[in-house]
Amino acid sequence: MPQVETQDEEAVLIERGGFKVDRARALDKIRSYRRGDVGSVWLFLRAASAAGASAAAVRRTPDGFTVEFDGAAFPEDVLADPYSALFQEDGASDCRRWLALGLIHAFGPGLRLVSVESGPKDGRRRFSARDVGLEVVASVPDAGDKNVVRVKA
């Protein structure tokens, strides 16, 4: 067993370990601290900027809004688990974090659906969800090449 020296006495290391974070509870806690003065559209625009977008468009729709932007596509693993960026100590890009925060912020009362389409034309994917834990990722045929976020209330 390794010996650990302290100032006063010698201590013996008994065991090393870690702990697990309950992701569902952590995401729920993050959601409970949403700010009412910051709409998810701004968080999605921050994701667009971090993705290197040269242009972004926000369109109001009868039942919500759409944010469309160029720049780097969200990789398939990000669409499969967009919240993972919030649990990585380092290595997650700002783009991924802003997307995750935008999604969590969008999950509020009255939300019917939030979706994110991204990727090249031949491998485009769509993340869609009604709430945290109710996500679906599927292929999108014959779609454009821009990143598109839709929020329907």
Side-chain angles (χ1 to χ4, degrees):
M1 236 181 248
Q3 296 274 330
V4 179
E5 291 186 32
T6 63
Q7 290 179 354
D8 299 329
E9 58 188 62
E10 286 190 26
V12 177
L13 177 63
I14 304 290
E15 186 176 337
R16 289 184 186 196
F19 59 92
K20 288 192 168 223
V21 173
D22 182 339
R23 284 175 50 116
R25 287 185 64 195
L27 290 171
D28 194 45
K29 184 59 82 173
I30 292 168
R31 186 170 37 175
S32 73
Y33 285 101
R34 283 186 300 229
R35 290 182 47 166
D37 62 339
V38 177
S40 59
V41 67
W42 297 112
L43 300 170
F44 293 131
L45 287 171
R46 301 262 334 233
S49 176
S54 62
V58 178
R59 291 183 187 83
R60 190 104 174 108
T61 62
D63 58 354
F65 65 87
T66 299
V67 178
E68 187 173 309
F69 57 95
D70 60 359
F74 296 109
E76 189 172 338
D77 66 317
V78 172
L79 294 179
D81 185 11
Y83 319 114
S84 66
L86 300 175
F87 299 98
Q88 294 175 353
E89 290 184 29
D90 57 317
S93 70
D94 285 343
C95 179
R96 292 175 178 200
R97 283 193 182 99
W98 288 120
L99 175 65
L101 290 170
L103 290 170
I104 289 171
H105 202 85
F107 295 129
L111 176 78
R112 284 195 359 236
L113 184 72
V114 62
S115 67
V116 180
E117 288 182 21
S118 190
K121 289 182 181 182
D122 60 346
R124 197 155 174 85
R125 309 285 286 168
R126 178 187 294 133
F127 162 96
S128 57
R130 288 175 170 37
D131 203 348
V132 175
L134 302 174
E135 300 89 357
V136 175
V137 178
S139 295
V140 180
D142 302 324
D145 58 352
K146 291 188 178 180
N147 299 298
V148 181
V149 178
R150 289 184 181 88
V151 175
K152 295 183 179 183

